[in-house]
Amino acid sequence: MTFTKEQLQDIEGQGISFNKIGSDECISDISWDFSGGKVRYNLDRTVDGCPDSVWRYKTVDEFNAIINDGTWEMEGTFESLPEIKANRYTIEPATYTRRDGKVLNMFLLKLNDDVEVSFQVASKIDDLCKQYRGWYDRKRCGWMLRSEMDAESLATDIHANDLAELYIYA
């Protein structure tokens, strides 16, 4: 099985492990390291008759190459959470009243509660938003944009550049 980055972000806590065929080596405690953007796993093995456990960090491609080399067997079942991944944000119609009283039809882009953005990343998103002639609205906790297409484009840019990290609370 080849895992995507999104699937590896879901894998923690699902009890999936890989056992090496004909050996006592085992890959367990698989999780996603959001700070480094890599797969984190524990390699359990026996070295010179003594149990040894080592934490490893690999990219998605390196991890897939290891588990798909034909010597590893997966234990457990993987249940992806695509409905959470697909809906990281909402876009809703909104209005904005200027100081002179003119009402503008806008669109509000809001990230869902399971998405966290740091202060530094929020400023990067604000810079992206300015490219679409939009701004962050503190009262509504979202980015105001002039068209739905601009809001969709900003949401795509945010997730294409991995600016928002997804945390799933169990």
Side-chain angles (χ1 to χ4, degrees), residues 68-92:
N68 289 317
D69 70 358
T71 62
W72 295 92
E73 187 175 76
M74 185 168 114
E75 282 190 11
T77 56
F78 177 74
E79 295 178 23
S80 184
L81 305 172
E83 67 284 349
I84 293 174
K85 296 294 185 187
N87 300 318
R88 290 184 174 187
Y89 59 88
T90 56
I91 297 173
E92 53 194 48

Side-chain angles (χ1 to χ4, degrees), residues 24-74:
D24 63 345
E25 290 186 34
C26 174
I27 293 175
S28 62
D29 299 325
I30 304 165
S31 63
W32 183 258
D33 177 26
F34 281 98
S35 62
K38 293 189 175 191
V39 182
R40 177 181 178 234
Y41 64 90
N42 191 13
L43 178 63
D44 296 317
R45 60 189 174 180
T46 304
V47 177
D48 296 328
C50 298
D52 184 34
S53 183
V54 180
W55 284 104
R56 300 282 171 106
Y57 292 84
K58 300 287 183 189
T59 65
V60 174
D61 293 335
E62 291 170 340
F63 182 75
N64 282 323
I66 290 169
I67 62 171
N68 289 317
D69 70 358
T71 62
W72 295 92
E73 187 175 76
M74 185 168 114

Side-chain angles (χ1 to χ4, degrees), residues 7 37 50 52-53 66 81 87 107 109 118 128-129 135 138 144 149 154 158 169:
Q7 289 173 324
C50 298
D52 184 34
S53 183
I66 290 169
L81 305 172
N87 300 318
F107 287 88
L109 169 66
S118 69
L128 282 173
C129 189
W135 66 90
R138 283 184 277 171
M144 297 289 282
M149 189 175 79
L154 177 61
I158 290 170
Y169 300 102

Side-chain angles (χ1 to χ4, degrees), residues 89-95 106-111 135-148 151:
Y89 59 88
T90 56
I91 297 173
E92 53 194 48
T95 58
M106 305 286 289
F107 287 88
L108 180 68
L109 169 66
K110 292 177 79 170
L111 298 178
W135 66 90
Y136 185 77
D137 187 322
R138 283 184 277 171
K139 288 181 183 176
R140 297 180 185 166
C141 299
W143 288 271
M144 297 289 282
L145 295 127
R146 297 175 190 274
S147 73
E148 189 171 10

